[in-house]
Amino acid sequence: MNDAFFFPVQLSLKIAFVSLIIVFILGILLAKFMVKKKFKGKIIAETIILLPLVLPPTVIGFLLIVVFGNTSPISNLIEWLFSQPVMFTWWAGVIASTVVALPLMYQSAKTGFSTIDPAIEEAARVDGAGEWRVFFLVTMPLAYHSLISGAILSFARALGEFGATLMFAGNIPGKTQTMSTAIYMSIESGNMELAWLLVTTMIIISFFMLLAASRFR
């Protein structure tokens, strides 16, 4: 019971934290680019970024299998570099969680950057600050609340990812089984005690995540 409970919890938190780091960086960079730049096809590009919000998890899982499957060039490169494929590893869970959580971080970051008065940033440039210095010392601090809120929501979304993770990373006890997949298997096997423990843990974590996010809105 201990391993059946603690491993999924630890792995879910591990995947969510790693995913958060990736999502936080990518979301901020994408939001910065989309807010500052104007180009043809911008609406299409943004739609692609936000698409995981509305796509069924099975579709996301299918696409990840196509991109990172054993016959894809990307999979061959990964296997050559790391001597193992990415599918059915905890890194597959990270990739799946990153894909579904990125739109939340992107939206929050874009909202935060869009509300900043351009005159404030321009004043910093006039004083001699370069673009990246303006971004790190002026733009990001002013968008602080949106960035933190987006990070918390992205973490919570990554923590609860199920469908794409089940298809892409699998549900291997002691290797790739997360809280969400462990709950599913517990119910399937009739182990309601374990299911309740995992469900309660997930609810408590998610509750405090949402509570913390609401403080930064």
Side-chain angles (χ1 to χ4, degrees):
M1 175 65 79
N2 286 340
D3 290 340
F5 172 74
F6 285 110
F7 181 84
V9 173
Q10 292 171 351
L11 182 62
S12 294
L13 291 172
K14 180 181 178 181
I15 288 175
F17 274 119
V18 175
S19 175
L20 173 60
I21 294 171
I22 299 171
V23 163
F24 189 75
I25 296 171
L26 284 179
I28 288 176
L29 292 178
L30 284 172
K32 177 182 183 295
F33 178 81
M34 296 297 283
V35 168
K36 299 296 182 182
K37 303 293 183 180
K38 294 182 179 180
F39 57 91
K40 289 184 178 180
K42 183 176 179 178
I43 295 177
I44 295 176
E46 186 168 46
T47 301
I48 293 173
I49 295 172
L50 298 176
L51 203 54
L53 283 177
V54 296
L55 282 178
T58 50
V59 173
I60 296 174
F62 173 80
L63 293 175
L64 289 175
I65 291 173
V66 171
V67 174
F68 294 96
N70 294 331
T71 59
S72 73
I74 295 177
S75 176
N76 293 333
L77 177 61
I78 292 174
E79 192 166 356
W80 179 73
L81 290 172
F82 302 103
S83 301
Q84 67 173 10
V86 69
M87 281 187 66
F88 304 118
T89 66
W90 74 275
W91 278 106
V94 171
I95 294 172
S97 296
T98 298
V99 170
V100 299
L102 180 60
L104 293 174
M105 186 66 224
Y106 169 78
Q107 279 190 315
S108 295
K110 184 185 175 186
T111 299
F113 295 155
S114 299
T115 58
I116 297 173
D117 186 351
I120 299 176
E121 296 174 312
E122 188 59 34
R125 295 188 186 96
V126 171
D127 288 339
E131 285 299 320
W132 285 105
R133 190 177 178 85
V134 170
F135 180 67
F136 283 113
L137 299 182
V138 178
T139 307
M140 285 189 64
L142 290 175
Y144 169 76
H145 287 280
S146 294
L147 296 181
I148 297 299
S149 176
I152 294 172
L153 291 175
S154 297
F155 179 84
R157 180 65 185 88
L159 187 68
E161 164 51 26
F162 172 71
T165 299
L166 181 63
M167 291 184 65
F168 187 44
N171 180 37
I172 307 171
K175 185 177 180 181
T176 65
Q177 190 175 68
T178 62
M179 280 194 285
S180 296
T181 56
I183 291 169
Y184 175 77
M185 292 306 298
S186 297
I187 295 173
E188 285 287 301
S189 63
N191 191 346
M192 297 306 295
E193 181 183 355
L194 178 59
W196 271 112
L197 280 173
L198 291 167
V199 166
T200 303
T201 302
M202 182 73 80
I203 290 174
I204 291 172
I205 295 174
S206 299
F207 175 81
F208 283 107
M209 289 291 99
L210 289 175
L211 188 64
S214 67
R215 295 177 63 86
F216 289 95
R217 290 177 183 173

